[in-house]
Amino acid sequence: MERNDVRLALPSKGILQHGAEDFLEACGLKVYRPNPRQYAATIPGMPGVTVLFQRPGDIVTSVQAGSIDFGITGYDVLSEKGANGGAALVIHDDLGFGACSLNLAVPERSAAQTVDDLRQWAAEAGQAGYPIRIATKFPHVTAAFLDRQAITPYRLIGVEGTLEIAPAIGYADLICDLVSSGITLRDNHLRPLTDGVVLRSQAVLIANRPALRSRPEVLAIAHHLLEYVEAYARGRGSYLIIANMRGDSPEAIAQRMFAQTSLGGLQGPTIAPVVAREHLRAASDWFAVNVVVRREHLFEAVGELRAIGGSGVVVVPCAYIFEEEPVRYRAMLDALAAEQQAATSAAGEGE
């Protein structure tokens, strides 16, 4: 049955839920959910969008099936379900929250420090007649990593509950689990292999490919989402510096700024005459300078401005920086066009 609403799925609990809601609010897309027990909500800034709350794995399945148009989930879950490359398309891979890594971790008493050590351990265990046992909730991603590293033989043990206890009670030799701070591993006397990162993950925004191609309202919401997400991401950690500076002309001041290392701005600084009071106007040689810099260069930029004559320096954090077109929206359109062209070519060859 054809739907009129556009559906966005968010994680229903845990760090990803709070991270997704906080992130969307920071992007200017606050989720309105009057009752926290309800599994449906709205975004007043995007009329026509229904927000549903699901488990991260179910979000991937729903977007893949087409019952959900957009979803925010973890890249780890997406990779485990093998959905990226199917009907689910990643349209933003750097939302900036939910960061973690899938790591191989061994008991502290183990002699294994690296993947090479694990390879030798597995080979020796195999010669003794048993494979090493690895407890994990990510069997597909883990197996792919082990195979790439030529670690054999091994046996993966699926676990629904807590993984960290598996080596201690003897039903696994090591684990492959998500790690953020590493505190849980240390509390359970485990440590990650130094080069045992199987996958790096964070929250990603995914969309249903067929819906993007066939439903204009879904494509419009994709543009809306990416417009605000990209503007927020570009603004996050950026500052607008405003200062007054004497000079013969905007071009002369620009040359002084370009000679510095931190005053290039986005496309360049904005320089405009300061309109002086009537009795000073004829002799005014003051200009207002505006330049955007990243947080890590802020104090260096302020120092450089003052060194070349800037005064009255004002610093304002940037909430959003909008471009002519979101970079990732153009990348999404290009990916869809390339896929369509490939499908058309394949169909032509098959005739």
Side-chain angles (χ1 to χ4, degrees), residues 235-241 293 295 298 314-321:
R236 181 174 51 194
S238 293
Y239 291 81
L240 173 64
I241 303 178
V293 301
R295 177 188 289 115
L298 176 60
V314 177
V315 177
V316 182
C318 298
Y320 307 98
I321 298 177

Side-chain angles (χ1 to χ4, degrees), residues 16 30 33 35 58 79 111 146 151 156 172 201 204 220 233 242 256-257 272 274 277 284 289 303 328 334 336:
L16 278 182
K30 182 177 175 59
R33 189 185 189 189
N35 187 333
D58 293 339
S79 299
L146 295 172
I151 296 171
L156 299 180
S201 179
V204 296
I242 306 167
R256 283 150 60 186
M257 294 180 68
V274 172
R277 295 180 184 276
S284 177
V289 172
R328 282 183 171 81
D334 290 345
L336 292 173

Side-chain angles (χ1 to χ4, degrees), residues 10 12 33 43 66 74 82-83 88 94 102 104 147 156 163 173 182 186 209 245 257 262 271 297 300 307 321 331 339:
L10 301 181
S12 57
R33 189 185 189 189
I43 297 178
D94 189 20
L102 184 63
L104 291 165
D147 293 343
L156 299 180
L163 285 176
D173 299 303
R186 291 194 295 272
R209 278 183 167 90
M245 190 179 301
M257 294 180 68
S262 304
I271 305 171
H297 302 302
E300 179 184 358
I321 298 177
E339 291 166 2

Side-chain angles (χ1 to χ4, degrees), residues 170-232:
Y171 69 85
D173 299 303
L174 66 154
I175 69 171
C176 187
D177 197 15
L178 294 176
V179 177
S180 51
S181 66
I183 293 175
T184 303
L185 288 183
R186 291 194 295 272
D187 287 347
N188 288 275
H189 306 291
L190 298 170
R191 55 174 171 77
L193 296 179
T194 56
D195 55 351
V197 176
V198 173
L199 179 78
R200 296 194 185 278
S201 179
Q202 66 168 303
V204 296
L205 176 62
I206 61 176
N208 178 265
R209 278 183 167 90
L212 290 171
R213 293 195 184 100
S214 63
R215 297 174 58 200
E217 68 273 23
V218 173
L219 195 62
I221 291 298
H223 186 275
H224 194 143
L225 278 169
L226 291 174
E227 182 94 77
Y228 279 82
V229 169
E230 288 279 85
Y232 170 69

Side-chain angles (χ1 to χ4, degrees), residues 89 117 129 135 145 168 177 216 348:
L89 172 68
D117 295 336
F145 178 84
D177 197 15

Side-chain angles (χ1 to χ4, degrees), residues 138-163:
F138 296 87
H140 295 100
V141 174
T142 302
F145 178 84
L146 295 172
D147 293 343
R148 287 196 305 271
Q149 298 294 329
I151 296 171
T152 186
Y154 62 84
R155 179 160 66 92
L156 299 180
I157 299 173
V159 178
E160 292 299 325
T162 303
L163 285 176

